[in-house]
Every structure is written in C-alpha cells, then in structure tokens.
Amino acid sequence: MSSASTAPVFIPASQCEVLFSEDEIRERVRAIGAQISKDYAGESIVLVGVLKGAAIFLADLARSIEVDNTFDFVAVSSYGKGKTSSGAVKLIKDLDVPIEGKHVIVVEDILDTGLTLSYLRKLMLQHKPASLKIATCLDKPERRLVPIEADYVCFSIPNRFVIGYGMDFAEKYRNVVDIRLFPEELAGK
Ligand code: PRP
C-alpha cells in the first residue's frame, strides 16, 4: 500500500479542546426550545433544517419545542470558503412540503458569512410564509459578509474552526456530541 495520500489528517476528537460540552449544549437548546414554544404559543410551526450540518441541532431543537411542529430539510451547494469563492449559493434539495401561510423557522448549525442564510431567506420568502425566523446553534458575527442576524442563537463564538454536534471537517466529526475547536493548522485556514 502506498504511503502517499491526499486524505485529510484524522485526529481523534478527544484531542480537540471542548468549546461547549454536551450538557452546556443541552441546556441552551432547551432554553431556545422553551423560548420558541412561548413565542409561538397556540400556533403551528415548520422547522426547515439546512443539510447536513443542522440535522443534529434540528433533531434536538424539535424535541425541545412544545408547540405543534413539523420539519423539513433543504440542501444548498457548498460554495467553498476559499478566497476565490464566488459566494454563489445554489439549492440542491428543495422543500418537500409547501410553506405558504405557515410559520417557518430556518434551522442552521452555524451562521458564518451569512451568504447561505441570506440566500435561503430570500428563497423562503418567495413561498409567502406567514412568518420567517432563523435559529442557529452557533453565530460567528465577526465573519459576516452580508447583513443577517438570527432570531435564536445558542452560542456566539469567535472566529475559530469548530467541529461536532453536526459540524464537520472533511465530512468527519459530525457525530461528536460536544462542540470542539479543531486545530487551525489542520483545518487549512
Ligand atoms: C455550513 C453551515 C451553513 C453554512 C454557513 O455549511 O451548515 O449552512 O456553512 O456558512 P455561511 O454563513 O458562510 O454561508 P457547509 O457548507 O459547511 O455544509 P454542511 O452543512 O453540509 O456542513
């Protein structure tokens, strides 16, 4: 077997510093779920998760919400985060169920430059929902390229590369139960 490989380095998640523990995440997700339940008391809501990163946050958030809710998923092309990126976002999986007249919350794992959510917000509004809000597990405000804010945020963080709780490096580590800092030198940032 050749020793040459282009595969990204894999280091055990246990070697990465914990930024937010499983308990801290659970507590914040419950708080956001309680806030949403209060804000939408007596209503029905549709949670729209953005694949793939938001899948785990959405699963926990949906189970923390007491008001009537359904969920759906969209997927967008990863536009690449390199310096030469056009920043163009494309939809690669649309909604399965109409959202016209519904109260919609778009659910993200991380709000970074804002390009993805800015694109999705415009797209969702074209479907004429009764209302549209954004929930994100993490917010990196200093990375923002376009003006957009989330209505519900679990944690605001500095510009560090994170993994776990749905967030990946080269598709790995999404299953890690807490949120950890991935070494910048390995992330190639
Ligand atoms: C991440 C994240 C958001 C987007 C946020 O997705 O899930 O969708 O980046 O970044 P932005 O604010 O700069 O647009 P990614 O492209 O890594 O795909 P993934 O969800 O499959 O991990």
Side-chain angles (χ1 to χ4, degrees), residues 27-147:
E27 193 179 310
R28 284 298 298 144
V29 174
R30 281 187 182 159
I32 298 288
Q35 186 63 50
I36 290 173
S37 302
K38 199 171 154 201
D39 294 349
Y40 293 88
E43 305 283 356
S44 297
I45 58 178
V46 183
L47 303 171
V48 176
V50 186
L51 294 170
K52 302 174 196 163
I56 289 175
F57 175 44
L58 186 144
D60 285 346
L61 185 64
R63 288 179 291 178
S64 300
I65 292 172
E66 288 174 5
V67 296
D68 179 35
N69 72 85
T70 59
F71 52 80
D72 200 350
F73 290 95
V74 292
V76 295
S77 59
S78 193
Y79 56 83
K81 303 286 164 69
K83 292 189 180 115
T84 55
S85 165
S86 67
V89 182
K90 277 188 205 147
L91 191 72
I92 52 177
K93 185 217 167 289
D94 205 346
L95 293 163
D96 292 331
V97 176
I99 56 165
E100 187 172 345
K102 306 267 180 70
H103 294 292
V104 173
I105 303 177
V106 177
V107 180
E108 265 288 23
D109 53 332
I110 187 161
L111 173 51
D112 190 1
T113 65
L115 291 166
T116 304
L117 274 172
S118 178
Y119 167 82
L120 281 172
R121 182 172 61 182
K122 268 187 219 143
L123 196 77
M124 294 292 135
L125 287 173
Q126 288 171 9
H127 291 276
K128 302 194 187 328
S131 67
L132 182 66
K133 285 192 182 180
I134 293 168
T136 189
C137 182
L138 300 183
D139 186 11
K140 271 188 191 175
E142 69 188 76
R143 286 265 302 165
R144 209 75 91 247
L145 291 178
V146 289

Side-chain angles (χ1 to χ4, degrees), residues 119-182:
Y119 167 82
L120 281 172
R121 182 172 61 182
K122 268 187 219 143
L123 196 77
M124 294 292 135
L125 287 173
Q126 288 171 9
H127 291 276
K128 302 194 187 328
S131 67
L132 182 66
K133 285 192 182 180
I134 293 168
T136 189
C137 182
L138 300 183
D139 186 11
K140 271 188 191 175
E142 69 188 76
R143 286 265 302 165
R144 209 75 91 247
L145 291 178
V146 289
I148 187 161
E149 297 305 325
D151 302 278
Y152 304 101
V153 177
C154 290
F155 305 102
S156 194
I157 64 165
N159 184 20
R160 300 289 302 275
F161 197 98
V162 291
I163 55 160
Y165 201 62
M167 288 164 277
D168 72 310
F169 170 65
E171 295 297 327
K172 298 177 194 292
Y173 308 108
R174 293 191 196 273
N175 63 316
V176 173
V177 294
D178 35 30
I179 296 172
R180 291 175 181 252
L181 296 171
F182 193 71

Side-chain angles (χ1 to χ4, degrees), residues 5-12 15-16 169-170 172-173 182-183 185-187:
S5 169
T6 55
V9 179
F10 180 82
I11 58 164
Q15 287 179 19
C16 301
F169 170 65
K172 298 177 194 292
Y173 308 108
F182 193 71
E185 60 276 17
L186 296 182

